[in-house]
Every structure is written in C-alpha cells, then in structure tokens.
Amino acid sequence: MSETTSSSAPCPDEQAVARFVERFALDLAQGGFPRMAARVFVRVLVSEDGACTAAELAESLGVSAAAVSGAVRYLIRVGLLVREREPGSRRDHYRVRDDMWYEAFARRDEQLGGWEETLRQGVAALGAGTRAGSRLDETRRFFEFLRVELPKLMDRWRAQRDGHGAAPEEDSADSP
Amino acid sequence: MSETTSSSAPCPDEQAVARFVERFALDLAQGGFPRMAARVFVRVLVSEDGACTAAELAESLGVSAAAVSGAVRYLIRVGLLVREREPGSRRDHYRVRDDMWYEAFARRDEQLGGWEETLRQGVAALGAGTRAGSRLDETRRFFEFLRVELPKLMDRWRAQRDGHGAAPEEDSADSP
DNA sequence: CAGTTTTTTCACAAATTTGTGAATAAGATG
DNA sequence: CATCTTATTCACAAATTTGTGAAAAAACTG
C-alpha cells in the first residue's frame, strides 16, 4: 500500500467504504431489514452530508432507479430517512434523521401494541385460569413492559448523547 | 366426544386457539421470525404443559416432520425452546424456556456486538474526523448503549415478574 | 444385537420475495 | 403551455426462501 496515501486527508478510501456499505447492509439485512433498503440506508449514512439523491444512490450501488424508489419509500415509512426537496432543484434529497434510531424504536412500539392485543385474544381463547393462559399472559405483560420501557430507554440515550460525558449519573436505571 | 364448547371449563375452544396460533405466528413472522418457527413456537406456547413432541406439533399444525425438525432446531439455537428427553420415552419434548424472552434478548446482544465491530471498521474507512465518520461513530455508540442497557432492562423485567406478583400497579393498559 | 420408533438429512417443488426495464405520472422551467 | 427532468408504477424475470416426501441415521427397548 504505497501509492494511495489517503490516511490523513479527508479523502476516504472509496473501496473500503464500499466494502463497509455492503457488509453493514448485510448485517442489517440479517436483522430483518429488507436487503435493498439496508444498502440504500447505509449509503446515505456514509455520505458526507448525510443526504443523497436517488441518482447518486442508484449509481453508487449499481442498481435501478426503481429499486431506489422502493427502498426509500420503505425507509421513509419506518422513519429512518426524510425526503427533502430543495426549491431550486428538481431532485429530491434523502436525508438520515438525526434521531433515526429513536424513530426506529418508536415504530417498534406500535408493533408491540399490536402483539399485546393478539395475546389478549389468546388468553381469552385459552382461559385465564389455565396454565397455558397464564403463560400467554406473562408474555403479554412482557411486551407491555417493553412498550413502556423502550421509550424511556431511548430518552436516556438521547440525554446521554446530547448532554453526555460531563455528568455521570449512576442512578441511570433505577425505579423510584 | 367434544361437540359443545363449554366456555367456563378448562376446555379451551380449540378452534379459537388454532386461530390465535396462526395470528400470533403471523405477527412474529412480521417481526422477522421464520414462519414455520413462529408457528411451532406458538403451538408450544399454548400447550397446557408448555411442552410438545414433534409428532404433536406436526399433527396439530398439519405440517411434515421435516418442517418441525427444522423449526425446532432454529428455536433451540435462539434459546426459545429446550429439548427434553425423558428416559422412559423415545420422543423428545420441546419445552418453552421460562425465561425465554430474556434468552431471546441475550442473543440480540451478540448480534449488536458484531454490528459494533462492523461500524468500527466503517469509521476507520471514512476517517474519524469526517462528518460521515462521526455520524457512523454515533451509530456505533448507540448500539453499544443498547448492548449495555438491554441486559439491565431484562433484569428489571425479571425482578418485576418474580418480585411483585402481589403488588398491583394499576397503570396497566386497561382500555375498555 | 435385532427391532421399533423418532429424528434428521437431502433433492426437489412450490411459493414468496426482490430487482429490472419500460411506461407513466408528477413537477419545474423557459 | 411545451419541454425537460425526476420519480413512481407495473408486469415480469431472477433468486432466495420454505416445505415436502423419501431415505438414512440415531436412540431406546427387549
């Protein structure tokens, strides 16, 4: 490695970046993300401005405009990207939200609420007195717990990120 | 032998249970679960003992033994079921773990650790000084936060579940 | 160690998902 | 309003996933 010395300049090794994009996208896909959406998302994430046009995404990923369109629709729906249209330009820009992970977890909560409802019906079908019924109800309470606690956890993340370092409160996860 | 549905006896409406199994399994599949694994898991969950044989599962779900085999392998790997072999019997029993959700989240942590490592490489590729690099590093810190905090959250769940079975917090989601 | 029963493996078929190219719609500009 | 440019939709092809039947392997019994 002698010809391309881009270690200290603001010129990232594009090849290494591309490798990272594919790898992290694969990680996310593993975790239940649609594949193309994962790739598009990571591409935006590694862009210097945190925003890309559809054309840039299609070009850098080597995929069709249609694929990008579908992916950004998904990503906007789950709250990881926002669409921006600058007045002077015809191109939309897709930008990562600054509190993207907060948003992602917020959507999770909706899902949890739905699951709780399903479980309620299950408890009713089995009978609350049965062993199976009470097992199911414990599961419901677990999801309820998550639905209540995850937003709190996200608030703590926000606080740590924004205020951070200086005030190490060690009472972080206490129940009053 | 079963023509009437006695609603107050410990004889659950099998049809309603079957409906619930399919619906909750669908919910879980929505959330990234393999479909068959979801169905098998819910079937075990609604069994009175919390354990089933492969034959029972295949019969009640109307699927092949091979499908059950694959599903339980997955479920055991992610820690939601354990295999039990009773000495006298030839059949394995597949039992839901009592702290199944704890286990499920524990595995999530491994995944989070992997993602952090990937992100570290991404930061290196982009350069820590760049905007993209610092954005990526914030993402890494978020996952790190989760990896540390989720186990604590699970401990709190365990404590709440075991501890106050008698202390009723009436903040439960009770919407008539 | 033979005989059964249960579980797993494997090749293949069915079904779902995913991405593309071409056509269409939407939006801005002169 | 005509004309670009950009974004979306749609039918279809490719690829991955998922489930099955049959055969093999494993495990317990007598």
Side-chain angles (χ1 to χ4, degrees):
Chain A
M1 314 315 180
S2 42
E3 63 272 17
T4 48
T5 52
S6 52
S7 31
S8 58
C11 161
D13 176 354
E14 278 308 323
Q15 202 155 5
V17 171
R19 255 199 318 275
F20 165 73
V21 169
E22 290 306 321
R23 174 160 176 197
F24 189 38
L26 210 65
D27 284 353
L28 292 175
Q30 200 76 19
F33 250 76
R35 265 198 306 263
M36 184 60 74
R39 286 159 80 190
V40 166
F41 174 64
V42 180
R43 247 311 155 191
V44 180
L45 204 61
V46 301
S47 69
E48 191 58 10
D49 306 342
C52 297
T53 66
E56 286 169 353
L57 291 167
E59 206 275 327
S60 67
L61 291 170
V63 299
S64 72
V68 172
S69 177
V72 298
R73 181 175 45 187
Y74 172 86
L75 290 165
I76 288 170
R77 198 165 52 77
V78 301
L80 288 176
L81 290 187
V82 289
R83 186 196 306 270
E84 283 180 353
R85 170 154 279 173
E86 291 179 49
S89 173
R90 288 167 182 172
R91 295 186 273 268
D92 288 349
H93 283 249
Y94 302 100
R95 175 176 301 281
V96 293
R97 300 188 52 130
D98 54 324
D99 54 356
M100 50 189 165
W101 302 113
Y102 188 96
E103 279 301 317
F105 270 70
R107 312 282 161 158
R108 204 69 158 189
D109 285 351
E110 296 172 18
Q111 190 177 52
L112 284 170
W115 293 8
E116 284 174 53
E117 180 50 33
T118 299
L119 283 164
R120 238 182 288 273
Q121 296 179 13
V123 174
L126 286 162
T130 64
R131 286 213 287 155
S134 86
R135 185 181 313 116
L136 221 57
D137 197 55
E138 181 183 308
T139 298
R140 183 193 61 74
R141 286 199 305 274
F142 175 72
F143 288 143
E144 186 179 50
F145 175 80
L146 285 185
R147 185 170 48 78
V148 171
E149 294 296 331
L150 284 183
K152 294 188 196 169
L153 193 68
M154 286 303 101
D155 286 342
R156 282 203 282 144
W157 159 248
R158 236 185 218 173
Q160 170 172 319
R161 184 193 58 170
D162 297 345
H164 100 293
E169 302 183 62
E170 55 261 29
D171 62 84
S172 48
D174 285 342
S175 38
Chain B
M1 58 198 270
S2 58
E3 72 234 9
T4 55
T5 55
S6 51
S7 38
S8 58
C11 161
D13 176 354
E14 277 308 323
Q15 203 155 6
V17 171
R19 255 198 320 273
F20 164 73
V21 169
E22 290 306 321
R23 174 160 175 196
F24 190 40
L26 210 65
D27 284 353
L28 291 176
Q30 201 78 17
F33 250 76
R35 265 197 306 264
M36 183 60 74
R39 285 160 81 190
V40 166
F41 174 64
V42 180
R43 247 309 156 192
V44 179
L45 204 62
V46 300
S47 69
E48 191 58 8
D49 306 342
C52 297
T53 66
E56 286 169 353
L57 291 168
E59 206 274 327
S60 67
L61 290 171
V63 299
S64 72
V68 173
S69 177
V72 297
R73 181 175 45 187
Y74 173 86
L75 290 166
I76 288 170
R77 197 165 53 77
V78 301
L80 288 176
L81 291 187
V82 289
R83 186 195 305 269
E84 283 180 354
R85 169 154 279 174
E86 291 180 47
S89 173
R90 288 168 183 169
R91 295 187 274 267
D92 289 349
H93 283 249
Y94 302 99
R95 175 174 302 281
V96 292
R97 301 188 54 130
D98 55 323
D99 54 356
M100 50 190 164
W101 301 114
Y102 188 95
E103 279 302 318
F105 270 69
R107 313 281 161 159
R108 203 71 158 188
D109 285 350
E110 296 173 17
Q111 191 176 53
L112 284 170
W115 293 8
E116 285 174 53
E117 180 50 33
T118 299
L119 284 164
R120 238 182 290 273
Q121 296 180 13
V123 174
L126 286 162
T130 63
R131 286 215 287 154
S134 88
R135 186 183 311 118
L136 222 56
D137 197 54
E138 181 183 308
T139 298
R140 183 193 61 73
R141 286 199 305 274
F142 175 72
F143 288 143
E144 186 179 47
F145 174 80
L146 284 185
R147 184 169 50 77
V148 170
E149 293 297 330
L150 284 182
K152 293 187 195 169
L153 193 68
M154 287 301 101
D155 286 342
R156 282 203 283 147
W157 158 247
R158 235 185 216 174
Q160 171 171 319
R161 184 192 59 169
D162 299 343
H164 44 77
E169 302 183 63
E170 46 256 23
D171 65 87
S172 62
D174 208 7
S175 40

